[in-house]
Amino acid sequence: MDTESTIPLKITFNGPANHFTDAIPVGNGRLGAMVWGGVASETLQLNEDTLWTGIPGDYTRPTAPEALSEVRGLVDHGEYAEATEAAVKLFGNPAQVYQLLGDIKLEFDDSHLAYAEETYHRELDLNTATAQVNYSVGDVEFTRECFSSKPDQVIVTKISGSKSGSLSFTASLESKLNHHSYVNGNNQIVMEGNCPGKRIPPNMSANDEPKGIQFSAILDIQISDSTGKIHALGDKKLKVESSDWALLFLVSSSSFEGPFTKPLDSKKDPTSESMNALKSIKNLSYSDLYARHLDDYQNLFHRVSLQLSTSSEGLARDKSLEMRPLYSITDVLPKGNENDTVSAAERVKSFQIDEDPSLVELLFQYGRYLLISCSRPGTQVANLQGIWNKDLEPKWDSAPHLNINLEMNYWPSLPCNLSECQEPFFDFLTSLSVNGSKTAQVNYIASGWVVHHKSDIWAKSSADQGNAVWALWAMGGAWLCTHLWEHYKYTLDKDFLKTKAYPLLEGCALFLLDWLIEGHDGYLDTNPSTSPEHNFIAPDGKTACVSYSSTMDMAIIREVFSAIISAAEVLGTNEDPLLKKCVRLS
């Protein structure tokens, strides 16, 4: 990235966050935090990507074939509203719910209430994946820096004052989940707890069954050697007094071992794993941790630069325009926008009347930043909110929704040169195919595998409970499979195509061939079929959503057939009888 000619990629704020969406997200794919930037009281809302309600489920329904025949018959007779109503018999259990980890609460002394508001500055630097807060109290400037390290699996926060001995605060670690916290030694707070074993139960205790995912988080605080002291304040809080600086290390682990292992059967000890994570960074300085974080993050982030001109005339006049390395899109940098202290809110507001290409650049890179921060090799797939969530009952369960949301999360990965960030997506797809094969066989008497519109960490494959307008859609797995061929086209990774992509495409195609049935005028139809989240007015004037052969269905099926045909040509397996069926129908 040409850092000399680009405007700093910083999202700035002139005050603490008032809402969750105003806070700054940091993440390493697995561990995330939302930095609110409060002055007298600061909150870092924490997430760990394996914290979900529930246990592995049964995604089959033996009575579904009979219900399927009923729904298909109603569709064939044009009774679409009745088919919509009968479709409820095809639903499975509801998906599970993504949970939060907890909060780091920092309480500063009363002098911080009188901070100089004009000195306040909060920013997210996309170039370094670091959140920073600055403000002054009297003649002391306070600075906080926060980043989530992938190499060392720790969220690091550094707090410092410009005058020796000026830093004092109280720290606690809390959660809305069932938990208990305790001070360990004189510089650690340990929090141990569990997620509910059932979806949003009324009130559960640690002894309730089924046993949900267990978790642990440890907050470790280090302070300057020459000044200050740290001690326990009761049995749940730590007090830092008169220090020059403090380093806060947050590590976390859970008992989750995979979508097919019950939490009760897990052999993982979250607290031991968290302690080991702290031990592994014991001899690393803040500078070491930051350098390792930067090297890892910038290896991904610096692959793409984007600079936009204010107008096409500007491009025509610039004779120095040249092609940059692969995945670099470089135009002419607009002049006069070098002031990165203007708040994000002000820039968004002024964009309505004043063209600001640098804001578009910032938004583009922010999207890349978020994907890097919530999806890395070995992590869970990015959910509806990435990894950032503050609620026990988040909107739409913060689950992977396959009728566009999960696909959209990963659309930027290839054109933005972040192919590694897709690995959790493909791991998830493999798990879905395992459960999806049981759903296909039992619910639809079909071969291959199927997944519907909504899933969870347990790789739920059956139709969700709810409204047929979104829950019934059986093309979720098929749409995800189109990413497999796209990944090959970008990477030309033949081993990936052979070992990962082709088996998944094959299973998907097998289901689609069985799902297509002879319908009107001898054509093959999908029945029942919905166009995701769209109703229509049937000929009898009733509102319905279930019919046959929606354009969405047919377009995705055609794309999957095309992909497996192309993959077979690359791999030299185009004599497979399955391919002949796909060729005939594509």
Side-chain angles (χ1 to χ4, degrees), residues 104-106 157 159 167 169-173 184 186-189 218-224 229-231 237-241 243 245-250 278:
I104 297 175
K105 295 283 190 180
L106 305 177
T157 303
I159 310 174
L167 181 63
F169 63 91
T170 299
S172 61
L173 190 56
N184 182 44
N186 66 349
N187 72 320
Q188 287 183 352
I189 303 174
I218 302 176
L219 178 63
D220 183 282
I221 303 179
Q222 306 291 330
I223 62 172
S224 51
K229 59 183 179 179
I230 180 172
H231 59 86
K237 295 183 179 181
L238 292 174
K239 176 71 174 179
V240 172
E241 293 182 301
S243 182
W245 51 261
L247 294 178
L248 282 61
F249 303 112
L250 188 285
L278 282 174

Side-chain angles (χ1 to χ4, degrees), residues 158-177:
K158 181 179 181 181
I159 310 174
S160 58
S162 61
K163 278 192 173 183
S164 180
S166 61
L167 181 63
S168 298
F169 63 91
T170 299
S172 61
L173 190 56
E174 306 168 2
S175 179
K176 296 176 183 177
L177 288 170

Side-chain angles (χ1 to χ4, degrees), residues 446-457:
S447 51
W449 60 273
V450 61
V451 180
H452 295 74
H453 104 284
K454 185 179 181 183
S455 191
D456 54 30
I457 199 170

Side-chain angles (χ1 to χ4, degrees), residues 59-74:
Y59 308 113
T60 64
R61 186 166 184 170
T63 60
E66 182 180 348
L68 180 64
S69 296
E70 178 187 352
V71 173
R72 283 176 168 171
L74 291 169

Side-chain angles (χ1 to χ4, degrees), residues 71-80 517-520 525 527:
V71 173
R72 283 176 168 171
L74 291 169
V75 169
D76 285 339
H77 288 89
E79 299 177 44
Y80 303 118
I517 58 174
E518 187 171 342
H520 297 73
D525 291 336
N527 179 5

Side-chain angles (χ1 to χ4, degrees), residues 483-494:
H483 289 238
L484 296 164
W485 178 244
E486 194 76 4
H487 185 82
Y488 172 75
K489 288 196 295 182
Y490 269 84
T491 64
L492 298 181
D493 184 345
K494 198 169 181 178

Side-chain angles (χ1 to χ4, degrees), residues 21 47 104-105 133 159 218 246 266 310 348 373 411 477 552 578:
T21 49
N47 290 106
I104 297 175
K105 295 283 190 180
V133 177
I159 310 174
I218 302 176
S266 174
T310 54
V348 170
S373 301
W411 281 343
M552 186 83 163
L578 169 67

Side-chain angles (χ1 to χ4, degrees), residues 322-461:
E322 58 180 321
M323 291 298 293
R324 294 294 179 93
L326 187 63
Y327 291 101
S328 177
I329 311 165
T330 309
D331 291 345
V332 180
L333 184 69
K335 306 301 180 182
N337 286 335
E338 288 78 11
N339 185 3
D340 64 305
T341 62
V342 179
S343 73
E346 292 172 319
R347 294 183 68 181
V348 170
K349 185 176 181 180
S350 66
F351 191 81
Q352 301 176 51
I353 56 174
D354 182 24
E355 184 179 359
D356 180 6
S358 64
L359 183 61
V360 179
E361 300 165 10
L362 190 65
L363 180 61
F364 170 80
Q365 295 289 16
Y366 185 49
R368 297 183 67 244
Y369 165 82
L370 290 174
L371 183 59
I372 294 170
S373 301
C374 73
S375 183
R376 302 289 289 274
T379 72
Q380 300 304 305
V381 71
N383 64 53
L384 198 61
Q385 296 175 190
I387 53 174
W388 301 279
N389 166 46
K390 64 179 177 62
D391 299 313
L392 294 178
E393 300 182 44
K395 297 294 186 183
W396 302 286
D397 301 336
S398 196
H401 288 240
L402 317 187
N403 64 352
I404 194 168
N405 303 103
L406 185 58
E407 292 85 354
M408 288 176 69
N409 280 353
Y410 287 94
W411 281 343
S413 57
L414 292 168
C416 293
N417 204 10
L418 297 173
S419 62
E420 297 94 328
C421 294
Q422 276 196 309
E423 288 189 24
F425 178 94
F426 296 135
D427 293 340
F428 184 56
L429 191 52
T430 298
S431 297
L432 288 172
S433 71
V434 174
N435 285 334
S437 64
K438 300 172 187 175
T439 303
Q441 181 179 6
V442 175
N443 291 26
Y444 302 131
I445 319 298
S447 51
W449 60 273
V450 61
V451 180
H452 295 74
H453 104 284
K454 185 179 181 183
S455 191
D456 54 30
I457 199 170
W458 308 110
K460 171 182 164 60
S461 52

